[in-house]
Amino acid sequence: MATKGPHCSFVLLAEFDIDSGAQLTYQFPQPLGTDEGLLANLMLPDGAERHFEDWTIFFLNQTPFNTIAPVLALETHEPNDDHSSAKGSHSELIYVLNLVRTKHDKSVRRGAVVKAMAICTRHPFIQIFKPVLLLALDDYFASPSQDCLARLFDAINSMDISTAPVLTRFEKLIMRASERKDIFSEKFAPSKVPDMAVTPLNGSQFTRTGNQHQTTSSSSSHSSEESIVAKNRNPYSNGSREQSAAESSTTSLHHQHHHPSSPSDSSFSLGGSAVWVNDDSVILDSQVGLAIGGGPGSVASGSGTLASRGRRSTDASSSSSSGLETDHTHGAPIPTTSDSQLRSGISKDTHFFQTSIIYKEHHLPIKLPLATFPEEVGDYSLMQLIQTFSTPLVTVLGPLHPHLHSNGSLTHPIIILFNALVTGKRVLFLGHNIPAGQVANYVLSACALGSGCGVVMGGFIERAFPYAGLAGGEDWASTPAYIAGVTNPIFETSIAWDLLMDIGTARVVVHRDIHINFPTTPPAIGPLLTRQTIRAENSAASEEEIARIATRDRETSQKTDFTAKADSLDNIFMEDIISAITSRFGENVVRLRFVEYVVRFVRLASRYEEVTSGATKLFYPSAAFGEGSLGSGVVFPDETAALKELAANASRIEGWRRTKLHQYCVSEFQRFQATSAIKGFDLTHQLSRLRFGKNLPDVEVEMIMRKIAENVRSYEQVIELLAHTPLHLGGLQPLSFCLFHQQEVVREAILDVFNELRAHPIGVVFLQTLNHFQRYAYVRQAHARETRSREQGQQLIPPLPYAARTPSSRSEVSLGGI
């Protein structure tokens, strides 16, 4: 994980004095150089004495009033390329996790002692430091001295994450969308062998050398799955592939000339199926059916004729259901994992990096999340935010505003909040008599909601104040488009805000002066979309009839709230979200759905810009498929649906274009075009056409598959393709249907794509998600290609570019087995 400098930059200690109020007692290792009274009041929130314990979160280096200026300059760390391009040269944001505790003591004045300890870090995943902060504050209550702060500072900075894998943006997207606990397991360094608490039954003696154990007995051995882990530690090097090919059967000539675009061992291993491609006698239909289905007696079990021929399956699921695997050297049963999602005996969740913090001889296990983005701070919960403001008790008050009420009076409160966030409104979360930590979580959840969980947009955290108090209120309240959390109800009347979210009473209040602060005019696209929509729905109507209908609709809109539709797309989306929460689908599913929602919003805005100004910098320009050129841009079911969706989003898109978020998205798209591994065409559009298109022309399908096959030749390109086919949206399903296309060139192209995927562990994971019928089709066609190549006596050669292939040569590319 890219990081320079300490994990913890400062440790702070604040105490409440009955005479002088909140006081900042210690700053370690040096003073921050900012207002100490402001820091003390942030660490000791209003009403802290009413709660035994409370967590608060705030940020430093956001605005001039909370920018630090330490005497000794802090070490800088490597910039995170996820969102660094849009932030310019601002000071690096520092995240502060604060724990305040009240200890009742009748021997002191007012009968209680209130102390707070905080750590300042550059890591947005601040929740990992909660256990050690708990111990440190307990330590300080027992022995109040600056030594406690020094021990905490040293303990956190001794945390070792040097071997944590560094994931690219697309690898993070794949990991977030997968629930497999072994995703990208090949990127982890070899785990150390733990101390064995049991005495070996065979009497062998273990000797310890460093962090590994060695046995003096000759009966020790490694399972076949451990050997697979060893081979997969560097699965992308040519050497490991050559070694894998050397271990397999060498009777065929093409095993001596392996190419990365073809599989490298002697079998297919796709989620319980092991189909051998070098022996025609094994590929009988009945045996293939058993292999695809797995189960007792299948070839995947590694028993029977295949075992007698000395061949082995590389599929981890081929182990017995009893959790024991036979040692291939000595025949002794060895334990394996019982989780069917874990490959190669890996027992940890690879969504996290396992490390530890040692504080006063306490070893605290730490699970470092690997797929977070800078706009995701702490352990927020979209489910909690949605449930709070989706109950029947929620009341929406105040005037209607086009930027906020995209569906008129029937706009869902969460959609009102989203519209306020993306159009730059001042949002205030109020939690009277609610712990400040809970209020802060609502603010962080709102930032994730607007940014698409950090994946799509940025610029929310830098204007967020998870906990804001009376101290410095004039400063943070003057921040444009702030997102703040408060516990004091006086803020409802004392400062300016545009949208108030009352957590305790579930009120959503739009300020009465919203139209004065944000005057609006009808979108320029309105009349144009109205006439085009009427024309699309009344194709036989004359121009006079269209004009009369448009005039009637305008008159009706002045009298009624015609934009309020119970079956609007936003309402349907929120109904799906609430249904998912009710059905206990989990937080991750909700986050993925909102990522899709925000992505769709940005792409709609790009189409809106094209309609109004003729060009866009947000996304690929919209273009239909033409002779010799692929289409691009956002995909709609038909033109009428496109016009209706643009009309429903026009006002909030106009409001969004006036904010800094718009320029941020323009910069992000420019950076994406510069760094993308797959260039020259809109991959998202092509996959959407395969997924949603109806009656696609054969020539378009052929061109799509040719283009994808030509541009998926490296690991980076494979990762980008898989990131655009997330597992929760069906994974490779849109591509797999091409296995059944009537044209051979399309089937050959998808074979080349799938063969390239099989050369990488993550590609095999995605192929395993195909159903049995699709995997059978892939295996059958790949084996047929291999058979043809072997019969013709050709050696394995790198595949030609599609533009240089003849129809016959496209079916003669040899395919080695896994």
Side-chain angles (χ1 to χ4, degrees), residues 235-236 241 254 258-265 267-270 275 277 705 708-709 712-715 718 721-722 732 735-736 739 746-767 770 774-775 777-789 796-799 802 805 810-818:
Y236 311 121
R241 293 184 181 176
H254 65 266
H258 180 66
H259 186 268
S261 65
S262 298
S264 58
D265 289 327
S267 71
F268 290 89
S269 296
L270 302 177
V275 180
V277 299
M705 293 313 306
I708 294 177
V712 180
R713 298 295 185 195
S714 65
Y715 172 75
V718 166
L721 172 64
L722 297 180
L732 298 174
L735 294 175
S736 66
L739 290 167
V746 175
R747 299 195 301 271
E748 291 294 321
I750 190 59
L751 282 182
D752 284 344
V753 174
F754 281 5
N755 288 342
E756 180 62 39
L757 297 183
R758 286 181 55 223
H760 307 280
I762 185 61
V764 173
V765 169
F766 272 70
L767 288 171
L770 297 176
Q774 293 162 336
R775 282 186 285 172
Y778 169 47
V779 169
R780 177 177 55 80
Q781 294 180 38
H783 178 262
R785 174 196 278 188
E786 173 68 20
T787 302
R788 290 195 304 267
S789 177
L796 180 64
I797 59 175
Y802 271 85
R805 292 191 199 178
R810 289 171 182 161
S811 61
E812 294 173 357
V813 181
S814 180
L815 174 67
I818 256 186

Side-chain angles (χ1 to χ4, degrees), residues 1-3 7 159-166 189 353 355 368:
M1 179 162 292
T3 181
H7 303 305
M159 181 179 67
D160 183 15
I161 61 172
S162 59
T163 58
V166 180
F353 176 74
T355 183
L368 189 75

Side-chain angles (χ1 to χ4, degrees), residues 156-215:
I156 294 178
N157 289 323
S158 64
M159 181 179 67
D160 183 15
I161 61 172
S162 59
T163 58
V166 180
L167 302 183
T168 65
R169 173 182 174 83
F170 290 119
E171 288 173 335
K172 288 182 179 181
L173 293 178
I174 293 174
M175 177 173 282
R176 294 162 68 99
S178 173
E179 295 183 354
R180 291 186 61 116
K181 296 180 181 179
D182 62 343
I183 196 78
F184 290 120
S185 59
E186 66 276 5
K187 289 185 169 293
F188 284 76
S191 58
K192 298 177 182 180
V193 179
D195 292 335
M196 302 299 292
V198 296
T199 304
L201 296 178
N202 58 4
S204 60
Q205 300 296 322
F206 287 88
T207 60
R208 182 169 183 173
T209 303
N211 289 325
Q212 296 182 347
H213 293 275
Q214 298 177 347
T215 178

Side-chain angles (χ1 to χ4, degrees), residues 122-168:
R122 297 184 177 96
H123 299 309
F125 37 82
I126 54 179
Q127 69 275 11
I128 68 173
F129 300 117
K130 285 186 175 182
V132 67
L133 189 54
L134 279 168
L135 289 181
L137 187 55
D138 286 340
D139 190 18
Y140 185 84
F141 267 101
S143 177
S145 69
Q146 191 172 358
D147 294 340
C148 298
L149 280 70
R151 283 193 293 269
L152 176 62
F153 183 85
D154 294 338
I156 294 178
N157 289 323
S158 64
M159 181 179 67
D160 183 15
I161 61 172
S162 59
T163 58
V166 180
L167 302 183
T168 65

Side-chain angles (χ1 to χ4, degrees), residues 76 168 200 398 448 653 731 773 796 801:
T76 59
T168 65
I653 290 176
F773 186 66
L796 180 64

